[in-house]
Amino acid sequence: MPTTRTQVAIIGAGPSGLLLGALLARKGVDAVIIEQRSADYVLGRIRAGVLEQVTVDLLDEAGVSERLHAEGLPHDGVNLSFGAEMHRIDLKALTNKHVVVYGQTEVTRDLMDARAAAGLSTVYEAQDVAVHDFGGSQPRVTYTLNGEAHTLQCDFIAGCDGYHGVCRASVPADALQTHEKVYPFGWLGVLADVPPVAHELIYAHSERGFALCSMRSATRSRYYVQCSLDDQASRWSDDAFWAELARRLPADVAANLVTGPSIEKSIAPLRSFVAEPMRFGRLFLAGDAAHIVPPTGAKGLNLAASDVHYLFEALRELFLDHSEAGIDAYSQKALARVWKAERFSWWLTSLMHLFPEQSPFEQRMQQAELDYLVSSEHAMAALAENYVGLPY
Ligand code: FAS
Ligand code: PHB
């Protein structure tokens, strides 16, 4: 059984694992990434699209932001539509910040390319990945590759393996507390090579349910409609999707909708989830391995980056300054920002969606909050500062 050694074993080559590996490499800290899927499979997952300024800054720090600055779309505002009207939240005027529209797929591709160019080690299609002895001083990771068993000895393990990963599942149940809310609906998402209906995002509240108009570029759009949990993407023809999306937008906006064949169509469930703490001896959880947010607030990918920022700083401090203060504070620091993003994502989801069991009173509460939100600079400023991203 081949046995190798590294300083940090990173489980998962999604945005969390790749970004952590990139940042550690810039400080000369050795890390090996172990991924169960192929690189193409990872790139094929269509997910997030909006980056907070602090996420862009972190990608700058990792040295992987050249294409992002060349192709990303800075957005100074975001729109809410309800009652057949559009209301623009002027992010720039309210916070002096903006967000950048740049797909998670592109962030992942940039990180993968940089890692390969630097000759850094990523093990793809690893099977039977398992983490061991992270409660002691000599943790290790075992896995099989092409049928051969391998052992990776390490100083620390970063569990960047997402919601269904092995790392959180390997923590003794009595050492972990989880919090969860499952929403009674999902999002049916479509990716299509058609120009976006508007140059900024539109979050639409309608009597038929929520819709979101987003994009990946000036020629590629990303749209979502709220759907029931038992719905299936295969039941939706492209025409049916476009017709439903149009019904949920103000008429003057729907009139500008350019439709076309979908290149990806899928349904994502919505949940809020947090596992506490995020450190177990020499195992640290980061990103979706530790928490999930409903995508309404565009926080998932950005929270993963937030955890990676705190974990990178902690490991840098440990390996370069020989101080354990950072790793001792990691979980508490990361969770403080996680819970604020969980709150914002839950709040915006609760505000913008139709809930099957909603009472007439609750419908009036939603309407009153929407009316208040767009009539109060203070309320819009609160939404804006959360949407552009709270400081690390
Ligand atoms: P990821 O899940 O991206 O990556 C984890 C990696 O670990 C994967 O490559 C997986 O193959 C690997 N892995 C799992 N188990 C393993 C094991 N045992 N051994 C080795 N490797 C293992 N966020 C937004 O901000 N906006 C959105 O619109 C949005 N839409 C989403 C839609 C869907 C369907 C999903 C699932 C998520 C969405 N998200 C969205 C959230 C998403 O972007 C995540 O926050 C982001 O991918 C988190 O990155 P990671 O923490 O790296 O986890
Ligand atoms: C996306 O472009 O996929 C996207 C944008 C904003 C969200 C969710 C998804 O809140």
Short mmCIF file of all heavy atoms in Angstrom, two decimals, residues 15-17 19-20 23 50-59 61 160 278 285-288 290-291 293 298-314 329-342 388-392:
data_model
loop_
_atom_site.label_atom_id
_atom_site.label_comp_id
_atom_site.label_asym_id
_atom_site.label_seq_id
_atom_site.Cartn_x
_atom_site.Cartn_y
_atom_site.Cartn_z
N PRO A 15 -15.07 24.22 -5.02
CA PRO A 15 -14.47 25.54 -4.79
C PRO A 15 -13.74 25.64 -3.45
O PRO A 15 -12.65 26.22 -3.37
CB PRO A 15 -15.69 26.47 -4.81
CG PRO A 15 -16.76 25.74 -5.48
CD PRO A 15 -16.49 24.28 -5.35
N SER A 16 -14.31 25.04 -2.39
CA SER A 16 -13.65 25.14 -1.07
C SER A 16 -12.27 24.51 -1.09
O SER A 16 -11.27 25.14 -0.72
CB SER A 16 -14.49 24.44 0.00
OG SER A 16 -15.73 25.04 0.19
N GLY A 17 -12.21 23.26 -1.53
CA GLY A 17 -10.93 22.54 -1.49
C GLY A 17 -9.90 23.16 -2.41
O GLY A 17 -8.74 23.35 -2.02
N LEU A 19 -9.76 26.27 -3.54
CA LEU A 19 -9.33 27.61 -3.10
C LEU A 19 -8.40 27.50 -1.91
O LEU A 19 -7.35 28.17 -1.84
CB LEU A 19 -10.55 28.47 -2.76
CG LEU A 19 -10.29 29.91 -2.31
CD1 LEU A 19 -9.40 30.65 -3.28
CD2 LEU A 19 -11.61 30.64 -2.11
N LEU A 20 -8.71 26.60 -0.98
CA LEU A 20 -7.81 26.41 0.18
C LEU A 20 -6.44 25.94 -0.30
O LEU A 20 -5.40 26.46 0.12
CB LEU A 20 -8.40 25.40 1.16
CG LEU A 20 -7.54 25.09 2.40
CD1 LEU A 20 -7.32 26.35 3.24
CD2 LEU A 20 -8.19 23.99 3.24
N LEU A 23 -4.47 28.88 -1.85
CA LEU A 23 -3.96 29.84 -0.86
C LEU A 23 -2.79 29.25 -0.07
O LEU A 23 -1.77 29.91 0.14
CB LEU A 23 -5.09 30.26 0.08
CG LEU A 23 -6.18 31.13 -0.55
CD1 LEU A 23 -7.44 31.15 0.32
CD2 LEU A 23 -5.66 32.56 -0.78
N VAL A 50 -23.08 34.39 -8.35
CA VAL A 50 -22.83 35.75 -7.85
C VAL A 50 -21.71 35.73 -6.81
O VAL A 50 -21.78 34.93 -5.86
CB VAL A 50 -24.11 36.32 -7.22
CG1 VAL A 50 -23.84 37.66 -6.55
CG2 VAL A 50 -25.20 36.48 -8.28
N LEU A 51 -20.70 36.56 -7.00
CA LEU A 51 -19.56 36.62 -6.07
C LEU A 51 -19.60 37.92 -5.27
O LEU A 51 -19.77 39.00 -5.83
CB LEU A 51 -18.24 36.53 -6.83
CG LEU A 51 -18.03 35.31 -7.74
CD1 LEU A 51 -16.64 35.36 -8.38
CD2 LEU A 51 -18.22 34.02 -6.98
N GLU A 52 -19.42 37.79 -3.95
CA GLU A 52 -19.27 38.97 -3.09
C GLU A 52 -17.89 39.60 -3.35
O GLU A 52 -16.97 38.90 -3.81
CB GLU A 52 -19.36 38.55 -1.62
CG GLU A 52 -20.69 37.99 -1.19
CD GLU A 52 -20.65 37.43 0.24
OE1 GLU A 52 -19.53 37.33 0.80
OE2 GLU A 52 -21.72 37.09 0.77
N GLN A 53 -17.74 40.86 -3.01
CA GLN A 53 -16.45 41.53 -3.19
C GLN A 53 -15.36 40.82 -2.40
O GLN A 53 -14.25 40.62 -2.86
CB GLN A 53 -16.53 42.99 -2.75
CG GLN A 53 -15.24 43.78 -2.99
CD GLN A 53 -14.82 43.80 -4.44
OE1 GLN A 53 -15.59 44.17 -5.32
NE2 GLN A 53 -13.58 43.35 -4.74
N VAL A 54 -15.68 40.36 -1.17
CA VAL A 54 -14.65 39.68 -0.37
C VAL A 54 -14.23 38.36 -1.01
O VAL A 54 -13.06 37.94 -0.89
CB VAL A 54 -15.12 39.44 1.10
CG1 VAL A 54 -15.01 40.71 1.91
CG2 VAL A 54 -16.51 38.85 1.16
N THR A 55 -15.14 37.73 -1.74
CA THR A 55 -14.78 36.50 -2.46
C THR A 55 -13.85 36.83 -3.62
O THR A 55 -12.84 36.15 -3.85
CB THR A 55 -16.04 35.78 -2.98
OG1 THR A 55 -16.90 35.48 -1.87
CG2 THR A 55 -15.71 34.50 -3.72
N VAL A 56 -14.15 37.91 -4.32
CA VAL A 56 -13.27 38.35 -5.42
C VAL A 56 -11.88 38.68 -4.87
O VAL A 56 -10.85 38.26 -5.42
CB VAL A 56 -13.87 39.57 -6.14
CG1 VAL A 56 -12.90 40.14 -7.16
CG2 VAL A 56 -15.20 39.20 -6.81
N ASP A 57 -11.85 39.36 -3.73
CA ASP A 57 -10.55 39.72 -3.10
C ASP A 57 -9.76 38.46 -2.76
O ASP A 57 -8.54 38.40 -2.92
CB ASP A 57 -10.79 40.54 -1.82
CG ASP A 57 -11.46 41.88 -2.10
OD1 ASP A 57 -11.49 42.30 -3.29
OD2 ASP A 57 -11.98 42.50 -1.14
N LEU A 58 -10.47 37.42 -2.29
CA LEU A 58 -9.79 36.16 -1.92
C LEU A 58 -9.24 35.46 -3.16
O LEU A 58 -8.15 34.89 -3.14
CB LEU A 58 -10.78 35.26 -1.17
CG LEU A 58 -10.22 34.17 -0.28
CD1 LEU A 58 -9.27 34.72 0.78
CD2 LEU A 58 -11.37 33.41 0.40
N LEU A 59 -10.00 35.52 -4.25
CA LEU A 59 -9.53 34.91 -5.50
C LEU A 59 -8.34 35.69 -6.05
O LEU A 59 -7.40 35.11 -6.61
CB LEU A 59 -10.67 34.84 -6.52
CG LEU A 59 -11.81 33.88 -6.13
CD1 LEU A 59 -13.05 34.12 -7.00
CD2 LEU A 59 -11.36 32.42 -6.24
N GLU A 61 -6.18 37.13 -4.04
CA GLU A 61 -5.09 36.69 -3.14
C GLU A 61 -4.55 35.33 -3.56
O GLU A 61 -3.35 35.05 -3.45
CB GLU A 61 -5.62 36.63 -1.70
CG GLU A 61 -4.58 36.34 -0.63
CD GLU A 61 -5.17 36.30 0.79
OE1 GLU A 61 -6.36 36.69 0.97
OE2 GLU A 61 -4.43 35.90 1.71
N CYS A 160 -13.54 19.42 2.88
CA CYS A 160 -14.17 20.33 1.88
C CYS A 160 -15.03 19.50 0.93
O CYS A 160 -15.10 19.78 -0.27
CB CYS A 160 -13.09 21.08 1.12
SG CYS A 160 -12.03 22.09 2.15
N MET A 278 -17.12 23.36 13.81
CA MET A 278 -16.54 23.08 12.49
C MET A 278 -15.11 22.56 12.61
O MET A 278 -14.38 22.47 11.63
CB MET A 278 -16.59 24.33 11.61
CG MET A 278 -18.01 24.71 11.20
SD MET A 278 -18.15 26.33 10.38
CE MET A 278 -17.11 26.15 8.96
N LEU A 285 -13.97 21.37 9.06
CA LEU A 285 -14.98 21.36 7.99
C LEU A 285 -15.05 22.75 7.39
O LEU A 285 -14.95 23.76 8.10
CB LEU A 285 -16.35 20.97 8.56
CG LEU A 285 -16.46 19.60 9.23
CD1 LEU A 285 -17.89 19.37 9.71
CD2 LEU A 285 -16.03 18.48 8.28
N ALA A 286 -15.25 22.81 6.07
CA ALA A 286 -15.38 24.10 5.38
C ALA A 286 -16.37 23.96 4.23
O ALA A 286 -16.45 22.91 3.59
CB ALA A 286 -14.02 24.56 4.85
N GLY A 287 -17.14 25.02 3.99
CA GLY A 287 -18.08 25.04 2.86
C GLY A 287 -19.29 24.16 3.12
O GLY A 287 -19.73 24.00 4.27
N ASP A 288 -19.81 23.58 2.04
CA ASP A 288 -21.06 22.81 2.16
C ASP A 288 -20.93 21.61 3.08
O ASP A 288 -21.93 21.05 3.51
CB ASP A 288 -21.50 22.33 0.77
CG ASP A 288 -22.28 23.40 0.03
OD1 ASP A 288 -22.17 24.57 0.42
OD2 ASP A 288 -23.00 23.05 -0.91
N ALA A 290 -20.11 21.82 5.99
CA ALA A 290 -20.51 22.31 7.31
C ALA A 290 -21.86 23.02 7.30
O ALA A 290 -22.51 23.11 8.35
CB ALA A 290 -19.46 23.29 7.85
N HIS A 291 -22.28 23.52 6.13
CA HIS A 291 -23.52 24.31 6.12
C HIS A 291 -24.08 24.41 4.70
O HIS A 291 -23.37 24.34 3.70
CB HIS A 291 -23.26 25.72 6.66
CG HIS A 291 -21.99 26.33 6.16
ND1 HIS A 291 -21.81 26.77 4.86
CD2 HIS A 291 -20.80 26.53 6.77
CE1 HIS A 291 -20.60 27.24 4.72
NE2 HIS A 291 -19.96 27.09 5.86
N VAL A 293 -27.15 26.80 2.56
CA VAL A 293 -28.14 27.88 2.58
C VAL A 293 -29.06 27.75 1.37
O VAL A 293 -28.62 27.26 0.31
CB VAL A 293 -27.47 29.28 2.55
CG1 VAL A 293 -26.90 29.66 3.90
CG2 VAL A 293 -26.41 29.35 1.45
N ALA A 298 -27.80 34.00 -2.63
CA ALA A 298 -26.54 33.85 -3.38
C ALA A 298 -25.36 33.77 -2.41
O ALA A 298 -24.32 34.40 -2.60
CB ALA A 298 -26.35 35.01 -4.33
N LYS A 299 -25.51 32.96 -1.34
CA LYS A 299 -24.50 32.90 -0.29
C LYS A 299 -23.69 31.61 -0.27
O LYS A 299 -22.64 31.55 0.37
CB LYS A 299 -25.17 33.08 1.08
CG LYS A 299 -25.71 34.49 1.29
CD LYS A 299 -24.61 35.53 1.20
CE LYS A 299 -25.15 36.93 1.04
NZ LYS A 299 -24.20 37.79 0.32
N GLY A 300 -24.17 30.53 -0.92
CA GLY A 300 -23.51 29.23 -0.77
C GLY A 300 -22.04 29.27 -1.09
O GLY A 300 -21.18 29.01 -0.25
N LEU A 301 -21.73 29.63 -2.30
CA LEU A 301 -20.33 29.67 -2.74
C LEU A 301 -19.56 30.71 -1.92
O LEU A 301 -18.42 30.48 -1.51
CB LEU A 301 -20.28 30.02 -4.22
CG LEU A 301 -18.90 30.25 -4.83
CD1 LEU A 301 -18.02 29.01 -4.65
CD2 LEU A 301 -19.02 30.59 -6.31
N ASN A 302 -20.19 31.83 -1.64
CA ASN A 302 -19.52 32.90 -0.90
C ASN A 302 -19.23 32.51 0.55
O ASN A 302 -18.20 32.89 1.11
CB ASN A 302 -20.36 34.18 -0.95
CG ASN A 302 -20.41 34.76 -2.37
OD1 ASN A 302 -19.38 35.16 -2.91
ND2 ASN A 302 -21.57 34.73 -2.98
N LEU A 303 -20.10 31.70 1.14
CA LEU A 303 -19.82 31.21 2.50
C LEU A 303 -18.68 30.21 2.49
O LEU A 303 -17.87 30.15 3.42
CB LEU A 303 -21.08 30.55 3.10
CG LEU A 303 -21.94 31.38 4.03
CD1 LEU A 303 -22.96 30.48 4.69
CD2 LEU A 303 -21.12 32.13 5.08
N ALA A 304 -18.61 29.41 1.43
CA ALA A 304 -17.48 28.47 1.30
C ALA A 304 -16.18 29.24 1.27
O ALA A 304 -15.21 28.90 1.96
CB ALA A 304 -17.66 27.63 0.03
N ALA A 305 -16.18 30.35 0.51
CA ALA A 305 -14.97 31.19 0.43
C ALA A 305 -14.66 31.80 1.79
O ALA A 305 -13.49 31.88 2.21
CB ALA A 305 -15.18 32.28 -0.61
N SER A 306 -15.70 32.18 2.52
CA SER A 306 -15.52 32.77 3.85
C SER A 306 -14.84 31.78 4.79
O SER A 306 -13.84 32.11 5.46
CB SER A 306 -16.92 33.14 4.35
OG SER A 306 -16.94 33.56 5.67
N ASP A 307 -15.33 30.54 4.81
CA ASP A 307 -14.69 29.51 5.66
C ASP A 307 -13.23 29.32 5.25
O ASP A 307 -12.33 29.22 6.11
CB ASP A 307 -15.39 28.15 5.48
CG ASP A 307 -16.81 28.13 6.00
OD1 ASP A 307 -17.20 29.05 6.75
OD2 ASP A 307 -17.53 27.18 5.66
N VAL A 308 -13.00 29.28 3.94
CA VAL A 308 -11.64 29.04 3.46
C VAL A 308 -10.72 30.18 3.88
O VAL A 308 -9.56 29.96 4.29
CB VAL A 308 -11.63 28.85 1.93
CG1 VAL A 308 -10.20 28.92 1.36
CG2 VAL A 308 -12.29 27.52 1.55
N HIS A 309 -11.24 31.40 3.88
CA HIS A 309 -10.44 32.54 4.35
C HIS A 309 -10.01 32.31 5.80
O HIS A 309 -8.82 32.39 6.14
CB HIS A 309 -11.27 33.82 4.27
CG HIS A 309 -10.76 34.93 5.13
ND1 HIS A 309 -9.66 35.69 4.79
CD2 HIS A 309 -11.18 35.39 6.33
CE1 HIS A 309 -9.42 36.57 5.76
NE2 HIS A 309 -10.33 36.42 6.70
N TYR A 310 -10.94 31.97 6.65
CA TYR A 310 -10.62 31.79 8.08
C TYR A 310 -9.70 30.59 8.29
O TYR A 310 -8.74 30.63 9.07
CB TYR A 310 -11.91 31.61 8.90
CG TYR A 310 -12.77 32.85 8.99
CD1 TYR A 310 -14.08 32.85 8.51
CD2 TYR A 310 -12.27 34.03 9.52
CE1 TYR A 310 -14.87 33.98 8.59
CE2 TYR A 310 -13.05 35.19 9.59
CZ TYR A 310 -14.36 35.14 9.13
OH TYR A 310 -15.15 36.28 9.20
N LEU A 311 -9.96 29.50 7.54
CA LEU A 311 -9.14 28.29 7.73
C LEU A 311 -7.73 28.51 7.18
O LEU A 311 -6.74 28.10 7.81
CB LEU A 311 -9.81 27.08 7.06
CG LEU A 311 -9.12 25.73 7.25
CD1 LEU A 311 -8.86 25.44 8.73
CD2 LEU A 311 -9.96 24.61 6.62
N PHE A 312 -7.64 29.18 6.04
CA PHE A 312 -6.30 29.47 5.49
C PHE A 312 -5.50 30.33 6.45
O PHE A 312 -4.34 30.03 6.77
CB PHE A 312 -6.43 30.18 4.14
CG PHE A 312 -5.17 30.88 3.73
CD1 PHE A 312 -4.01 30.16 3.47
CD2 PHE A 312 -5.12 32.27 3.63
CE1 PHE A 312 -2.83 30.81 3.11
CE2 PHE A 312 -3.95 32.93 3.28
CZ PHE A 312 -2.80 32.20 3.03
N GLU A 313 -6.11 31.39 6.97
CA GLU A 313 -5.39 32.27 7.91
C GLU A 313 -4.95 31.48 9.15
O GLU A 313 -3.84 31.66 9.64
CB GLU A 313 -6.28 33.45 8.31
CG GLU A 313 -6.52 34.48 7.20
CD GLU A 313 -5.23 35.11 6.70
OE1 GLU A 313 -4.24 35.18 7.48
OE2 GLU A 313 -5.18 35.51 5.52
N ALA A 314 -5.81 30.57 9.60
CA ALA A 314 -5.46 29.78 10.80
C ALA A 314 -4.29 28.84 10.52
O ALA A 314 -3.35 28.73 11.33
CB ALA A 314 -6.69 28.99 11.24
N ALA A 329 -9.50 29.25 17.14
CA ALA A 329 -10.61 30.20 16.98
C ALA A 329 -11.41 29.97 15.70
O ALA A 329 -12.45 30.59 15.47
CB ALA A 329 -10.06 31.62 16.97
N TYR A 330 -10.92 29.04 14.85
CA TYR A 330 -11.53 28.89 13.51
C TYR A 330 -13.03 28.67 13.56
O TYR A 330 -13.81 29.40 12.94
CB TYR A 330 -10.86 27.72 12.76
CG TYR A 330 -11.65 27.28 11.54
CD1 TYR A 330 -11.76 28.12 10.43
CD2 TYR A 330 -12.34 26.06 11.51
CE1 TYR A 330 -12.50 27.74 9.31
CE2 TYR A 330 -13.07 25.68 10.39
CZ TYR A 330 -13.16 26.52 9.31
OH TYR A 330 -13.90 26.15 8.21
N SER A 331 -13.47 27.68 14.32
CA SER A 331 -14.89 27.31 14.29
C SER A 331 -15.76 28.48 14.74
O SER A 331 -16.75 28.83 14.07
CB SER A 331 -15.13 26.10 15.20
OG SER A 331 -16.49 25.74 15.19
N GLN A 332 -15.37 29.12 15.80
CA GLN A 332 -16.19 30.23 16.33
C GLN A 332 -16.22 31.39 15.35
O GLN A 332 -17.28 31.98 15.08
CB GLN A 332 -15.59 30.64 17.69
CG GLN A 332 -16.20 31.87 18.32
CD GLN A 332 -15.30 33.09 18.13
OE1 GLN A 332 -14.09 32.95 17.99
NE2 GLN A 332 -15.91 34.26 18.07
N LYS A 333 -15.07 31.71 14.72
CA LYS A 333 -15.03 32.82 13.76
C LYS A 333 -15.87 32.50 12.52
O LYS A 333 -16.66 33.31 12.05
CB LYS A 333 -13.59 33.08 13.32
CG LYS A 333 -12.80 34.03 14.19
CD LYS A 333 -11.45 34.32 13.53
CE LYS A 333 -10.65 35.35 14.28
NZ LYS A 333 -9.33 35.60 13.61
N ALA A 334 -15.67 31.29 11.99
CA ALA A 334 -16.39 30.93 10.75
C ALA A 334 -17.90 30.90 11.01
O ALA A 334 -18.69 31.44 10.22
CB ALA A 334 -15.89 29.58 10.24
N LEU A 335 -18.29 30.29 12.15
CA LEU A 335 -19.73 30.16 12.42
C LEU A 335 -20.41 31.50 12.64
O LEU A 335 -21.59 31.68 12.30
CB LEU A 335 -19.95 29.25 13.64
CG LEU A 335 -19.81 27.74 13.36
CD1 LEU A 335 -19.73 26.96 14.66
CD2 LEU A 335 -20.97 27.24 12.48
N ALA A 336 -19.69 32.47 13.18
CA ALA A 336 -20.30 33.80 13.40
C ALA A 336 -20.77 34.38 12.07
O ALA A 336 -21.89 34.92 11.96
CB ALA A 336 -19.29 34.72 14.06
N ARG A 337 -19.96 34.20 11.01
CA ARG A 337 -20.36 34.73 9.70
C ARG A 337 -21.37 33.80 9.02
O ARG A 337 -22.28 34.25 8.33
CB ARG A 337 -19.13 34.93 8.81
CG ARG A 337 -19.41 35.84 7.61
CD ARG A 337 -18.14 36.26 6.89
NE ARG A 337 -18.40 37.20 5.81
CZ ARG A 337 -18.79 36.86 4.57
NH1 ARG A 337 -18.98 35.57 4.29
NH2 ARG A 337 -19.00 37.78 3.65
N VAL A 338 -21.22 32.48 9.25
CA VAL A 338 -22.16 31.51 8.67
C VAL A 338 -23.58 31.82 9.13
O VAL A 338 -24.51 31.91 8.31
CB VAL A 338 -21.78 30.08 9.07
CG1 VAL A 338 -22.93 29.10 8.82
CG2 VAL A 338 -20.53 29.61 8.30
N TRP A 339 -23.75 32.04 10.42
CA TRP A 339 -25.12 32.24 10.93
C TRP A 339 -25.74 33.54 10.41
O TRP A 339 -26.95 33.60 10.14
CB TRP A 339 -25.13 32.20 12.46
CG TRP A 339 -25.15 30.80 12.99
CD1 TRP A 339 -24.18 30.16 13.69
CD2 TRP A 339 -26.23 29.86 12.83
NE1 TRP A 339 -24.57 28.87 13.98
CE2 TRP A 339 -25.82 28.67 13.48
CE3 TRP A 339 -27.48 29.89 12.23
CZ2 TRP A 339 -26.63 27.53 13.53
CZ3 TRP A 339 -28.31 28.77 12.29
CH2 TRP A 339 -27.88 27.60 12.94
N LYS A 340 -24.92 34.56 10.17
CA LYS A 340 -25.49 35.81 9.61
C LYS A 340 -25.96 35.57 8.16
O LYS A 340 -27.00 36.07 7.74
CB LYS A 340 -24.45 36.93 9.65
CG LYS A 340 -24.08 37.38 11.06
CD LYS A 340 -23.20 38.62 11.00
CE LYS A 340 -22.74 39.05 12.41
NZ LYS A 340 -21.51 38.33 12.82
N ALA A 341 -25.20 34.77 7.44
CA ALA A 341 -25.60 34.46 6.05
C ALA A 341 -26.80 33.51 6.04
O ALA A 341 -27.69 33.62 5.19
CB ALA A 341 -24.43 33.85 5.29
N GLU A 342 -26.86 32.60 7.02
CA GLU A 342 -28.03 31.71 7.14
C GLU A 342 -29.29 32.55 7.39
O GLU A 342 -30.35 32.32 6.81
CB GLU A 342 -27.82 30.71 8.28
CG GLU A 342 -26.77 29.65 8.02
CD GLU A 342 -27.26 28.51 7.10
OE1 GLU A 342 -28.48 28.43 6.85
OE2 GLU A 342 -26.42 27.72 6.65
N VAL A 388 -24.25 42.19 -0.69
CA VAL A 388 -22.87 42.38 -1.22
C VAL A 388 -21.86 41.62 -0.38
O VAL A 388 -20.73 41.39 -0.80
CB VAL A 388 -22.47 43.85 -1.31
CG1 VAL A 388 -23.40 44.62 -2.23
CG2 VAL A 388 -22.42 44.51 0.07
N GLY A 389 -22.29 41.19 0.83
CA GLY A 389 -21.38 40.40 1.68
C GLY A 389 -20.90 41.19 2.87
O GLY A 389 -20.33 42.26 2.73
N LEU A 390 -21.12 40.65 4.06
CA LEU A 390 -20.63 41.28 5.28
C LEU A 390 -19.11 41.11 5.34
O LEU A 390 -18.56 40.16 4.73
CB LEU A 390 -21.31 40.63 6.50
CG LEU A 390 -22.84 40.79 6.56
CD1 LEU A 390 -23.40 40.03 7.76
CD2 LEU A 390 -23.24 42.26 6.59
N PRO A 391 -18.41 41.98 6.04
CA PRO A 391 -16.94 41.87 6.11
C PRO A 391 -16.50 40.59 6.81
O PRO A 391 -17.26 40.02 7.60
CB PRO A 391 -16.51 43.11 6.90
CG PRO A 391 -17.74 43.57 7.60
CD PRO A 391 -18.93 43.13 6.80
N TYR A 392 -15.31 40.09 6.49
CA TYR A 392 -14.77 38.90 7.20
C TYR A 392 -14.43 39.29 8.64
O TYR A 392 -14.03 40.40 8.89
CB TYR A 392 -13.50 38.41 6.49
CG TYR A 392 -13.78 37.66 5.21
CD1 TYR A 392 -12.78 37.49 4.26
CD2 TYR A 392 -15.04 37.10 4.91
CE1 TYR A 392 -13.00 36.80 3.06
CE2 TYR A 392 -15.27 36.42 3.73
CZ TYR A 392 -14.24 36.27 2.82
OH TYR A 392 -14.47 35.60 1.64
#
